[in-house]
Amino acid sequence: MADSKLVRGTLILTASIFISKILGLIYIFPFKAIVGLEGLALYTYGYVPYTVLLSVATLGIPLAVSKFVSKYNALGDYETGRRLFKSGLVVMSVTGMIAFLLLFLLAGPIAYQVVDGKDLKGNSIEDVILTIRMVSVALLIVPIMSLIRGYFQGHQSMGPTAVSQVVEQLVRIIFILCLTFIIVYMLNGSIGWAVAFATFGAFVGALGGLTVLLIYWYKRKAHLEQQLLESKVNHNLPLRTIYKELVSYALPLSFIGLAIPLYQTIDLMTFNKALMGIGFSQFAAEEAFGAFAQAAHKLILIPVSIATAMSLTLLPTITKSFINDDHLSLQRQVTQTYQIILYLTLPAAIGLSILAYPAYGTLFGLGADLQIGALILRYYAPVAVLFSLFAVTSAILQGINRQRIAVIGLVAGLLVKLTLNVLFISQFEAIGAIYATGLGYLTSLGVNVWAIGNYGNYNYRFILKRFILIFIFTVIMAGVVVAVKELLMFALPLENRLNALIVLLASVGAGGLAYLYLGVRTNLAGQILGARFKFLKKKQRVES
């Protein structure tokens, strides 16, 4: 009964995360139509430092609280979990306040580093300062909300987290789109004011999520109080001991989760100035940054999210095999994780790269920014494979209790990015930032892959053979996509969104069918995804 409840809860939570990510992708299209690429750049100036400081404020403690509450509840000690929760609310309030003050006060220095404010078409320094300060307010309540979610999850209750996440995202998106539309089109306000209020949506959305959690709390308060009365034991652990263990466990995970925001922070501080240093106007640099950090970035995260979510479901079994010293099972499970990532992400990333122009045109329009947006998407899409592999290999290292190695790998990659970013942008313009990101992730991935082989005794021979086969199938699929795209674009040039949509859907359909046919014909799809999609195996039996 408990296991089925946990499985159901995990499915609900996974579904809510997926819905939130989809909503977070969809809203960017109308938002970009309202504020343009320079507006997306301004939005990023606020959100990147906010994301980093939010992680610093929480230190991964909400996730760790979930684990510890669950652990002590299983021992019949509900009192320790409640003590941790009460003290955690105080700690999150204090760290949230410190993070808010820090970001609020740093808004000026960050703004002067990001833009020079001399280009009348670009964002002003005042706009950047206002945007950062507006989003900083969310730091006052988001850490508290995260802790309450962790406490509910520790009680194997995923519903409050799932519902509050979706409500938070919906409220935030509705607030962003409605307010920016009103400011720009009805009040004839500036893009700067519109984007500043859009970032304030983080606070408004958090209020919505927190309201949902408080409703759940009052509904379940009697049950939670009854559990306290039924506590069989009280370990009376000092809070200092608990927090020491919490932070030692949670901090590496929190840091790894910051990988993309930390890379974006390096770009935030160097991208515009590097482009302006080689003759770009501030406006042109910001358009490129908006395309790179928001528009193209959102698109390449689609295959990353799907493939990573599917592969990470194997991690609990990897941890179990490692603890039980079951080397054969560990080898099989790690291989399966790698296979899923490669089989799904590689063709998706290459396909998106080939279809960059019709994809960008369909989703963001065929305006003046099509050239820079689609060009960045074309080069950025293959990096999605590295994003996925880094996330999964870091999680595998967590499963074999080597998360510190993942942190070392991430630091090494960040140093590569920091060292090469300005140099590459000077040489290759906006694409140089993509090259620096790719090399940074490749460095981190190299460390992770080595550590899994070394500490997990993993043999890469079989997965190397599988990679070659998947790569061959991807090349064939790419050939089909290119052929269909070029033929259609000859008849339907990218002059309007309908033509772009037809070219995109037909090319994706043809490439997808070709790839699926190869996978099913050779039974590769059945071997990799058969456990999840039974029809892939059945089809192979019929054809054989």
Side-chain angles (χ1 to χ4, degrees):
M1 187 74 176
D3 285 346
S4 63
K5 181 185 176 185
L6 180 61
V7 170
R8 184 171 63 88
T10 304
L11 287 173
I12 291 171
L13 192 57
T14 303
S16 77
I17 292 170
F18 186 72
I19 291 168
S20 296
K21 283 185 179 294
I22 291 296
L23 290 171
L25 169 71
I26 292 172
Y27 93 91
I28 206 74
F29 307 136
F31 183 55
K32 186 262 176 186
I34 297 170
V35 301
L37 282 181
E38 68 275 19
L40 289 187
L42 180 57
Y43 188 79
T44 309
Y45 302 155
Y47 248 88
V48 168
Y50 162 76
T51 305
V52 173
L53 277 170
L54 176 61
S55 187
V56 171
T58 57
L59 296 172
I61 286 175
L63 179 65
V65 164
S66 169
K67 178 189 173 187
F68 273 70
V69 169
S70 177
K71 172 185 171 182
Y72 285 104
N73 283 1
L75 297 172
D77 181 2
Y78 295 95
E79 185 64 41
T80 295
R82 179 62 69 88
R83 279 177 60 232
L84 179 60
F85 175 61
K86 286 181 176 178
S87 68
L89 288 175
V90 175
V91 171
M92 291 295 99
S93 299
V94 172
T95 57
M97 174 63 76
I98 293 170
F100 158 69
L101 290 172
L102 197 59
L103 186 55
F104 191 90
L105 295 172
L106 284 174
I110 293 171
Y112 279 99
Q113 177 62 32
V114 171
V115 298
D116 61 16
K118 295 174 184 176
D119 187 344
L120 295 177
K121 288 180 70 179
N123 292 304
S124 69
I125 288 171
E126 291 75 18
D127 287 340
V128 179
I129 292 173
L130 179 63
T131 298
I132 294 172
R133 287 181 172 170
M134 290 286 261
V135 77
S136 69
V137 181
L139 290 166
L140 294 171
I141 60 171
V142 173
I144 296 169
M145 181 176 63
S146 300
L147 186 83
I148 298 173
R149 285 173 177 165
Y151 185 68
F152 274 121
Q153 286 172 232
H155 283 271
Q156 310 301 325
S157 178
M158 308 300 177
T161 296
V163 175
S164 69
Q165 280 180 337
V166 174
V167 168
E168 178 189 5
Q169 189 75 299
L170 275 173
V171 170
R172 186 177 76 90
I173 289 168
I174 291 169
F175 180 85
I176 288 172
L177 295 180
C178 288
L179 215 63
T180 51
F181 182 86
I182 290 169
I183 290 172
V184 173
Y185 293 113
M186 297 175 70
L187 302 178
N188 292 319
S190 70
I191 296 296
W193 273 94
V195 174
F197 275 97
T199 59
F200 188 70
F203 176 76
V204 178
L207 281 180
L210 186 60
T211 301
V212 170
L213 290 171
L214 291 176
I215 291 170
Y216 271 104
W217 177 266
Y218 283 111
K219 280 185 176 181
R220 300 184 181 184
K221 188 176 180 182
H223 173 66
L224 293 169
E225 293 298 332
Q226 185 62 34
Q227 282 184 329
L228 276 180
L229 295 173
E230 293 173 0
S231 285
K232 298 172 185 176
V233 63
N234 188 343
H235 288 80
N236 288 313
L237 292 172
L239 285 174
R240 179 179 291 184
T241 303
I242 295 175
Y243 276 105
K244 187 177 179 181
E245 191 173 348
L246 272 176
V247 173
S248 67
Y249 168 77
L251 204 54
L253 304 184
S254 176
F255 189 62
I256 293 301
L258 265 177
I260 290 176
L262 288 172
Y263 272 83
Q264 287 187 317
T265 300
I266 293 172
D267 286 314
L268 179 72
M269 296 300 180
T270 59
F271 190 95
N272 289 347
K273 291 289 178 73
L275 280 182
M276 287 189 281
I278 57 172
F280 277 62
S281 67
Q282 182 189 306
F283 179 76
E286 288 191 292
E287 278 212 318
F289 184 73
F292 172 51
Q294 279 290 333
H297 186 74
K298 289 282 187 183
L299 290 181
I300 72 165
L301 287 184
I302 300 172
V304 173
S305 299
I306 295 170
T308 305
M310 290 190 69
S311 60
L312 290 183
T313 57
L314 289 166
L315 288 177
T317 57
I318 289 173
T319 303
K320 184 179 178 182
S321 298
F322 179 74
I323 291 170
N324 294 334
D325 202 23
D326 186 350
H327 180 69
L328 286 176
S329 294
L330 183 67
Q331 178 83 16
R332 187 174 65 252
Q333 289 151 1
V334 172
T335 296
Q336 188 69 354
T337 305
Y338 274 132
Q339 285 187 127
I340 291 171
I341 280 289
L342 291 170
Y343 188 74
L344 294 175
T345 312
L346 192 61
I350 299 304
L352 185 57
S353 179
I354 294 168
L355 296 171
Y357 281 83
Y360 192 93
T362 299
L363 298 170
F364 293 108
L366 298 163
D369 58 68
L370 173 64
Q371 286 301 319
I372 184 64
L375 180 68
I376 286 174
L377 179 59
R378 169 165 288 175
Y379 283 90
Y380 202 12
V383 181
V385 180
L386 300 179
F387 285 170
S388 299
L389 286 170
F390 174 74
V392 169
T393 52
S394 296
I396 292 171
L397 286 174
Q398 175 197 339
I400 63 174
N401 201 28
R402 296 286 177 177
Q403 52 262 33
R404 288 184 183 179
I405 303 292
V407 172
I408 292 169
L410 176 55
V411 170
L414 287 169
L415 288 173
V416 170
K417 169 73 172 174
L418 187 61
T419 305
L420 298 177
N421 210 45
V422 173
L423 176 64
F424 278 14
I425 292 172
S426 301
Q427 294 294 318
F428 307 108
E429 299 180 356
I431 305 303
I434 298 171
Y435 292 156
T437 296
L439 284 173
Y441 265 89
L442 206 57
T443 302
S444 300
L445 187 59
V447 173
N448 286 7
V449 166
W450 167 82
I452 292 168
N454 191 53
Y455 295 108
N457 294 317
Y458 181 73
N459 189 328
Y460 282 96
R461 189 175 302 166
F462 178 78
I463 197 65
L464 185 60
K465 291 178 182 177
R466 274 290 158 88
F467 169 72
I468 292 170
L469 185 59
I470 291 169
F471 181 76
I472 291 169
F473 286 178
T474 301
V475 170
I476 295 170
M477 177 217 72
V480 172
V481 171
V482 169
V484 172
K485 183 193 78 165
E486 293 300 327
L487 282 171
L488 283 174
M489 283 179 64
F490 182 75
L492 301 168
L494 299 184
E495 295 172 348
N496 56 64
R497 271 181 137 156
L498 180 60
N499 284 6
L501 178 62
I502 293 170
V503 171
L504 178 65
L505 292 179
S507 302
V508 168
L513 285 173
Y515 191 73
L516 182 63
Y517 173 79
L518 291 168
V520 172
R521 187 71 181 175
T522 59
N523 200 30
L524 182 64
Q527 290 173 27
I528 296 174
L529 300 175
R532 288 171 172 77
F533 304 101
K534 302 292 184 184
F535 75 92
L536 293 174
K537 284 191 171 182
K538 287 178 183 177
K539 221 172 199 179
Q540 173 63 18
R541 288 195 191 103
V542 170
E543 289 177 355
S544 60

